[in-house]
Amino acid sequence: MTQADSAQGDFHVFDTTLRDGAQMEGLRYSVADKLAVAELLDELGVDYIEGGWPGAIPSDTEFFARAADELNFKHAKLVAFGMTRRAASTAADDPGFQALLDSRAPVLCLVAKSDMRHVEQALRTTPEENLAMIADSVRTGREHDRQVFIDCEHFFDGFRNDPAYATLVVKTALDAGAEAVVLCDTNGGSIPSDITAAVTDLRRRLAADLPPERIRLGMHAQNDTGCAVANTIAAVEAGAMHVQGTANGYGERPGNANLFTVIAILETKLGRKVLPEGGLEKLTRVSHAIAEIANMAPDEHAPYTGHAAFAHKAGIHASAIKADPALYNHVDPVVVGNDMRILVTEMAGRASVELKGREIGIDLSGDKDALDRITKRVKELESRGWSFEAADASFELLVRDEVEGGLPRPFTLDTYRVIVDHDPNGATVAEATVRVDIHGEHGEADEHRISTAQGNGPVNALDAALRSALAARHPRLAELTLSDFKVRILAGSKGTDAVTRVLISMSDGEAEWTTVGVAPNLIEASWNALADGLAYGLNRR
């Protein structure tokens, strides 16, 4: 593996997605997954990627073996996580420490006790032996040409309990040659004022014995108070030069500091260049790509990278954005690789509709009548349960119907019928028949087709029958896949005869779009969304 020099000099961005983030409930990476995530993080431009605990976890041992041969980082350095050596031994004779060296990782991150209570009750050793364990482990790592970081577990709890001993732990590690000592809010119970006070006091105590350039502190925050990002920024403002976190805040309990949010704040708010040139604009794409590898839905409302991070709904916002987008965006979304979105709902005014029209390439500013018609139509449909903020494709179809006579429709429905059979053995089979008129390239209906198909449910059967009817004329249908299907009973309607809203998302491998259908009948609502989604997809090119 090769590594470029850090873009930010003395400041470290340290990612622990593959180690601490992997402790998230319901998340499990294969070794191949971890290799893919590591490549994405290197592409983003973080300085250090903690890959796991070799020697303690078999899959992590395999990951480091493969990483040494398969990964060729352009920027990052791979980090092996482990413990300081055991009490009453030496690092050179400790099997766990040897496994870290055998991993061939150029950097070691060693967890150490900094709370006197943990030293005595968890390690069951003396305060002096704990300091010896730290110093010996750091020196041994350095003797083997490894950079060494020390993670001070439960630091803030320990500092509150016995600040003199916690300070001595940090000084011992720095004196032994640790690259930085990371202050861990392991229980996640701190708030920003706690962090500011502790880091400031710690630096003052260390300054009595160490020169400023050797006082290199980092921050690792858990999110149990919901303050992990704020605590990390507080530590930086108090003098920390190293931040740890995970992609999308993954981690045990409520998670870790979201490293992507921390990076964005450092660059856009504190003016600290922490990624290589061009890295910040990859933030949203890398965030979503890692979510896909982790099989986790991307957080729609995540700061900076969420789909809704720069989405505006109320009409008064839209009016101001029309004049100047910076009036309601705290940063330009393009800076972090995201987009501003205008949500069209029953709150929409003419400005919202006009701005949304621009997004889809239609200028409505010169057609007041069309703008008024579309705004009125949106409000009317939204009042009946339609949801255009979640269905951009349906909004585009509506707008084009008003101003262009509509997108060319590849078919029109004559009739459909759905039958669901439940046999005595408990098997259920759905069968659908559709009769459609197929349109030619000029929009005229020139063929009538009837098609029947089975499916594992009525909507699947309808989809299969419609595709069968259209396949010969529209082979591109094979590229269009259904990626999500959501059903909701609308507020104010009850029972099995309630009004239903269906959202269907489709993809062609390059883009994804969503359409909406609303009807008292679930099948009818599904058909409306399905038919519009296929029509939109066939017109996308």
Side-chain angles (χ1 to χ4, degrees), residues 361-403:
I362 299 176
D363 185 3
L364 297 170
S365 60
D367 192 342
K368 181 179 180 300
D369 289 342
L371 191 56
D372 288 342
R373 289 195 310 272
I374 295 168
T375 303
K376 181 179 179 182
R377 181 68 173 151
V378 166
K379 289 178 178 290
E380 175 193 348
L381 290 173
E382 287 270 351
S383 71
R384 288 162 42 193
W386 297 69
S387 178
F388 291 103
E389 70 174 295
D392 282 0
S394 288
F395 176 78
E396 182 172 345
L397 290 171
L398 184 152
V399 172
R400 293 192 185 280
D401 282 345
E402 288 289 342
V403 300

